[in-house]
Amino acid sequence: RTYSLYHLGRSWILVALGLWHAYLLWAVMCVFLTLGSYELIRIWITWYTEGIGFHADRMEALLAFLESSAKSWIWISVLGELVRFCFILGRDALRIDAFEAYRRSVLGQAHPELVDGVLYTGHGWRQQTCTCRAANFLVQVAIYFSLDVVPILLLIVGH
């Protein structure tokens, strides 16, 4: 019997797996937000305690303020990109062909999405060679291994 994406979409196991992946990516996004917020608070507390003391020169205080501002801007930029990546990947995990957009972008097949600026434009995979199919399979195995097998192994080893 051959299976199509329609049959996969009706499988409760794959729906549960998609929800599990979306939950994991949501949890990772919360960890990124928490650690990033902690780092931003640490940057400004360090500036407040070390940068504006009574014995500090005005130029040193100004440079410390600019340094803290630059660090904060970089952290917010990186944190925003990580949160956006987790959101897009989580949305991609809930599709029938899970992580399709991510796999296509990793394999250089996402040109229509980049041109249109929108994910899931409906163009699908371009003609796949055997090498591209093998690479797609390896990327998919790496995704499922890192999101499913590694947490289970860590749970077993931890107990």
Side-chain angles (χ1 to χ4, degrees), residues 52-80:
I52 59 171
F54 286 101
H55 302 292
D57 183 23
R58 284 188 175 183
M59 187 55 102
E60 289 176 6
L62 178 64
L63 288 175
F65 175 76
L66 292 176
E67 176 189 8
S68 296
S69 297
K71 284 181 184 177
S72 295
W73 181 76
I74 291 170
W75 266 109
I76 290 170
S77 297
V78 169
L79 185 62

Side-chain angles (χ1 to χ4, degrees), residues 47-110:
W47 170 77
Y48 185 76
T49 57
E50 297 174 4
I52 59 171
F54 286 101
H55 302 292
D57 183 23
R58 284 188 175 183
M59 187 55 102
E60 289 176 6
L62 178 64
L63 288 175
F65 175 76
L66 292 176
E67 176 189 8
S68 296
S69 297
K71 284 181 184 177
S72 295
W73 181 76
I74 291 170
W75 266 109
I76 290 170
S77 297
V78 169
L79 185 62
E81 288 299 316
L82 288 172
V83 167
R84 185 175 68 89
F85 179 73
C86 287
F87 174 77
I88 291 172
L89 207 56
R91 204 171 115 199
D92 202 18
L94 293 174
R95 299 188 67 218
I96 294 172
D97 190 8
F99 303 109
E100 176 198 3
Y102 178 69
R103 288 182 283 130
R104 283 198 336 223
S105 64
V106 166
L107 297 174
Q109 298 274 325

Side-chain angles (χ1 to χ4, degrees), residues 1 15 22 32 96 105 113 131 135 143 148 156:
R1 180 176 175 187
V15 170
F32 283 150
I96 294 172
S105 64
E113 281 88 355
T131 307
I143 291 170
D148 298 326
I156 291 171

Side-chain angles (χ1 to χ4, degrees), residues 26-43 71-72 75-76 78-80 82-83:
W26 175 78
V28 167
M29 185 173 63
C30 288
V31 168
F32 283 150
L33 282 172
T34 303
L35 292 176
S37 300
Y38 169 78
E39 184 62 26
L40 285 172
I41 291 170
R42 190 193 65 74
I43 287 169
K71 284 181 184 177
S72 295
W75 266 109
I76 290 170
V78 169
L79 185 62
L82 288 172
V83 167

